[in-house]
Amino acid sequence: MQYVQQILGPMFDGTFVTLEMFFATIILSLPLGLMLALGRISRFKALSSGIGVYIWLFRGTPLMLQLLFVYFGLPFIPGIRLTLPDFQAALIAFVLNYAAYFAEIFRAGIQSIERGQYEGAKALGMTYSQLMRRIILPQVIKRVLPPVSNETITLVKDTSLIYVLAMNDLLRTTRAIVQRDFTTMPFIVAGIFYLAMTLVLTWGFQKLEKRYAAYDE
């Protein structure tokens, strides 16, 4: 127990980096995903097709490859040669990746709304923005909560990939302690940390789902 108390300080520091990446990704990728979803169902073929290619690209390649490309690859591309700090590079890769997944979730949610509601809103003289804001999106939020919950929990675990950029997140800190002390106890503590984070998220989304389900009663 004394040893666990000794390693908790560095592991809490690593957890802070993990949570910082998690919250920054969620805050940026959710609205970006919604905008991409609206563009994906747009009548403008060029816009819809371009977003379709973007979604295919980021969902079809590993997140780790995207991380490595943004951090190590961009500096070598002629005309770009962009070198980013590790946190910014990781954040860009995470946001672009998760926005693609959220875009498909939102698109499916929007297209699941009955066509009659669109026609009824138009008959009332609502603009497209009013239709989305007042009628469609409130229903979409309720319908997409389960898949958004799954992706959000997956994001907590995916943040461990930033160790490849030598960022001192929870996993890299844990690995350093294990290599230093030759014990597996830090792995167990890290597992408890990740389980605690996913437990809080699961509880929060269950509360949201119950809240929205109450309106159906």
Side-chain angles (χ1 to χ4, degrees):
M1 184 59 68
Q2 184 177 359
Y3 175 74
V4 173
Q5 292 176 347
Q6 291 175 354
I7 66 175
L8 281 180
M11 296 189 74
F12 273 119
D13 292 338
T15 301
F16 176 79
V17 175
T18 294
L19 290 175
E20 190 176 16
M21 180 60 63
F22 169 79
F23 283 113
T25 300
I26 285 294
I27 291 171
L28 295 174
S29 62
L30 278 174
L32 178 58
L34 178 57
M35 289 188 291
L36 289 171
L38 294 174
R40 187 74 178 92
I41 63 176
S42 170
R43 295 180 180 178
F44 297 101
K45 294 297 182 182
L47 177 61
S48 178
S49 299
I51 293 176
V53 171
Y54 163 85
I55 292 173
W56 166 75
L57 177 64
F58 279 91
R59 293 180 70 198
T61 55
L63 176 55
M64 182 176 289
L65 176 62
Q66 296 163 20
L67 281 167
L68 295 174
F69 179 81
V70 173
Y71 188 69
F72 295 107
L74 290 182
F76 295 100
I77 298 179
I80 299 179
R81 299 194 181 280
L82 179 62
T83 301
L84 295 169
D86 51 11
F87 185 88
Q88 293 181 16
L91 182 59
I92 289 173
F94 268 88
V95 170
L96 293 177
N97 180 275
Y98 270 84
Y101 283 93
F102 286 136
E104 282 297 276
I105 292 173
F106 284 125
R107 179 195 59 78
I110 293 171
Q111 292 182 331
S112 71
I113 304 299
E114 296 76 9
R115 194 66 191 174
Q117 297 193 39
Y118 290 88
E119 296 172 353
K122 289 181 180 179
L124 293 173
M126 285 189 177
T127 63
Y128 182 78
S129 61
Q130 290 174 330
L131 165 66
M132 283 294 170
R133 187 175 67 255
R134 298 180 182 179
I135 297 178
I136 304 302
L137 290 183
Q139 298 179 73
V140 168
I141 291 174
K142 179 177 67 175
R143 297 187 183 191
V144 303
L145 272 177
V148 167
S149 170
N150 290 336
E151 287 298 324
T152 303
I153 292 172
T154 299
L155 173 59
V156 172
K157 295 175 287 184
D158 278 351
T159 55
S160 62
L161 294 176
I162 63 178
Y163 86 92
V164 300
L165 304 186
M167 295 179 62
N168 290 320
D169 69 312
L170 176 58
L171 182 61
R172 189 169 189 270
T173 300
T174 301
R175 183 181 176 184
I177 296 174
V178 169
Q179 291 175 331
R180 182 194 67 192
D181 299 340
F182 299 100
T183 174
T184 58
M185 180 57 69
F187 284 140
I188 297 174
V189 176
I192 294 173
F193 273 52
Y194 280 112
L195 286 172
M197 288 185 281
T198 57
L199 178 63
V200 171
L201 287 172
T202 301
W203 176 81
F205 275 103
Q206 286 177 346
K207 288 290 186 181
L208 283 174
E209 289 178 27
K210 289 180 180 179
R211 177 182 177 184
Y212 278 96
Y215 296 121
D216 294 334
E217 298 177 356

